[in-house]
């Protein structure tokens, strides 16, 4: 049995062809099973993880043949406990499969499930699927917020992962979301080109805000239907910044329903009376070129969101 705070020695790991193109943080989280995510990122920030003897940012992409130095880590006994994926979570994820082939696995991710583990969360989508499907490579191709539902794409090979990332970076992909926003929408179709900066601490929480020195961020909002108290809009994003749609919508003066971070508390209370118990943001559609074909994926509006629209009824 491993004693509490047992040290793990220095390791040098050569990157295989299977992990060519993978982010260093994801590589570490995969091979350091049981090590808290916060500890992995702390080691990266402090420069204790080295790639070919040099410091590495969390988003650095590895190449086959790279040598990764993994420092001594102290892991508590609780972190070494072998955990089993809860049956209900495994069932929900299998029921959420939209599409699968030899290259990709696509889910209609339910709201309330994180894509990866974190503080107090032992299993996210990726950890649960790796345990229930242990036979091969599986990696998140992009991310969705915990409270966002809809299309989530995972790669089943390093080659597919690189191809998806290339498509996302080259803007040859299309990502559309459905959102319910506060108030009368009188703008028609509009584009929000507002840079975003994350890491702002406000009230003890890390926030994202519009800032001149932020990263370029572009969202297109198109109204679909006006309802009591708000409007259903389609949002297409060219970039995938953290909380991008939520912050851009609030920047327009139309915060998202159920958003307890950037939203309007009074608006949220009104919609709670109609049964809104979550963030109204749904990743409806994703398309991109992959392996000489066009991959087109869509997820129907989550039942609880459709029920809210029925309860609100059409018309201003």
């Amino acid at each position: 049995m491993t004693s509490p705070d047992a040290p793990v020695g220095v390791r040098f790991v050569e990157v295989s062809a299977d992990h060519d193109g993978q982010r260093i943080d994801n590589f570490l989280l995969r091979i350091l099973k049981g090590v808290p995510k916060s500890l992995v990122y702390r080691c990266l920030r402090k420069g204790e993880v080295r790639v070919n003897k040099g410091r590495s940012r969390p988003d650095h992409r590895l190449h086959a043949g790279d040598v990764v130095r993994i420092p001594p880590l102290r892991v508590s006994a609780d972190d070494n406990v072998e955990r089993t994926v809860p049956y209900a979570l495994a069932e929900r994820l299998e029921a959420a499969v939209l599409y699968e082939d030899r290259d990709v696995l696509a889910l209609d991710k339910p709201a309330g499930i994180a894509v990866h583990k974190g503080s107090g969360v032992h299993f996210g989508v990726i950890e649960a699927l790796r345990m229930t499907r242990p036979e091969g490579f599986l990696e998140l191709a992009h991310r969705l917020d915990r409270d966002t539902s809809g299309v989530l794409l995972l790669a089943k090979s390093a080659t597919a992962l690189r191809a998806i990332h290339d498509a996302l970076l080259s803007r040859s992909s299309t990502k559309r979301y459905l959102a319910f926003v506060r108030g009368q929408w009188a703008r028609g179709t509009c584009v929000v080109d507002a840079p975003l900066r994350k890491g702002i601490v406000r009230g003890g929480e890390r926030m994202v805000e519009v800032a001149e020195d932020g990263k370029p961020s572009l969202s297109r909002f198109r109204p679909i239907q006006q309802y009591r108290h708000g409007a259903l809009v389609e949002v297409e994003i060219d970039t995938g910044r953290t909380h991008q749609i939520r912050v851009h919508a609030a920047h327009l003066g139309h915060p998202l329903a159920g958003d307890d971070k950037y939203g309007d508390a009074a608006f949220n209370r009104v919609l709670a009376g109609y049964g809104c118990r979550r963030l109204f943001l749904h990743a409806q559609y994703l398309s991109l070129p992959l392996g000489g074909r066009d991959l087109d994926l869509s997820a129907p509006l989550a039942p609880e969101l459709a029920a809210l629209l029925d309860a609100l009824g059409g018309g201003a």
Side-chain angles (χ1 to χ4, degrees):
M1 178 176 178
T2 305
S3 62
D5 298 326
V8 179
V10 174
R11 283 195 282 164
F12 292 89
V13 180
E14 184 172 341
V15 177
S16 68
D18 287 342
H19 296 287
D20 185 69
Q22 188 174 33
R23 284 173 50 135
I24 180 65
D25 56 351
N26 291 331
F27 177 80
L28 292 170
L29 291 169
R30 186 175 179 85
I31 64 175
L32 296 175
K33 297 186 184 300
V35 176
K37 182 180 175 184
S38 58
L39 178 55
V40 171
Y41 279 97
R42 185 160 66 246
C43 289
L44 282 165
R45 286 195 304 271
K46 290 183 175 180
E48 295 173 355
V49 172
R50 300 276 172 156
V51 179
N52 301 328
K53 299 183 179 180
R55 292 174 69 114
S56 177
R57 291 171 53 88
D59 59 357
H60 172 77
R61 296 199 178 277
L62 297 168
H63 300 286
D66 285 348
V67 177
V68 180
R69 177 195 182 273
I70 301 174
L73 300 174
R74 301 186 72 82
V75 182
S76 69
D78 182 62
D79 291 321
N80 283 324
V81 172
E82 185 70 22
R83 292 188 171 90
T84 302
V85 179
Y87 179 77
L89 175 59
E91 286 284 290
R92 288 186 76 188
L93 293 179
E94 283 303 318
V97 173
L98 283 172
Y99 173 80
E100 184 173 10
D101 61 22
R102 67 179 184 179
D103 296 317
V104 298
L105 172 65
L107 301 181
D108 180 2
K109 186 189 84 66
I113 300 177
V115 296
H116 51 69
K117 67 180 180 180
S119 178
V121 178
H122 298 307
F123 292 102
V125 170
I126 187 63
E127 291 83 18
L129 288 176
R130 282 173 178 164
M131 289 195 72
T132 57
R133 295 165 170 250
E135 64 278 359
F137 183 98
L138 196 62
E139 191 64 72
L140 290 166
H142 64 114
R143 300 185 182 192
L144 293 178
D145 288 349
R146 178 174 183 163
D147 295 324
T148 302
S149 55
V151 179
L152 178 67
L153 189 60
L154 298 94
K156 296 174 67 176
S157 71
T159 300
L161 183 63
R162 286 195 299 273
I164 295 168
H165 284 163
D166 288 345
L168 293 173
L169 291 171
S170 67
R171 311 285 167 81
S172 58
S173 62
T174 300
K175 291 184 284 186
R176 297 194 194 110
Y177 294 72
L178 291 175
F180 192 84
V181 299
R182 183 189 67 186
Q184 182 79 26
W185 187 277
R187 298 173 178 273
T189 299
C190 71
V191 175
V192 180
D193 186 358
L196 297 177
R197 181 178 63 198
K198 66 179 180 178
I200 308 303
V201 178
R202 188 174 298 148
E205 285 194 278
R206 292 202 173 273
M207 307 283 285
V208 176
E209 68 177 10
V210 172
E212 290 185 2
D213 61 347
K215 292 184 178 180
S217 307
L218 189 73
S219 305
R220 295 180 181 85
F221 289 78
R222 182 177 70 85
I224 296 177
Q225 186 173 351
Q226 187 68 44
Y227 291 80
R228 286 193 296 271
H229 308 296
L232 181 67
V233 297
E234 179 186 81
V235 190
E236 184 172 333
I237 59 174
D238 283 3
T239 50
R241 309 300 181 199
T242 300
H243 300 168
Q244 176 174 324
I245 294 173
R246 298 164 65 181
V247 178
H248 276 175
H251 182 65
L252 287 175
H254 293 282
L256 268 60
D259 191 341
D260 59 4
K261 198 163 190 173
Y262 307 99
D264 178 338
F267 174 54
N268 291 342
R269 285 194 296 271
V270 169
L271 290 193
Y274 289 89
C276 183
R277 298 289 185 269
R278 53 158 289 197
L279 178 72
F280 198 125
L281 185 59
H282 180 73
Q284 179 191 36
Y285 178 77
L286 172 64
S287 72
L288 49 81
L290 182 65
R293 71 190 192 279
D294 289 329
L295 188 63
D296 291 286
L297 301 164
S298 60
L301 192 62
E304 66 273 17
L305 300 184
L308 173 64
L309 296 181
D310 288 341
L312 290 170

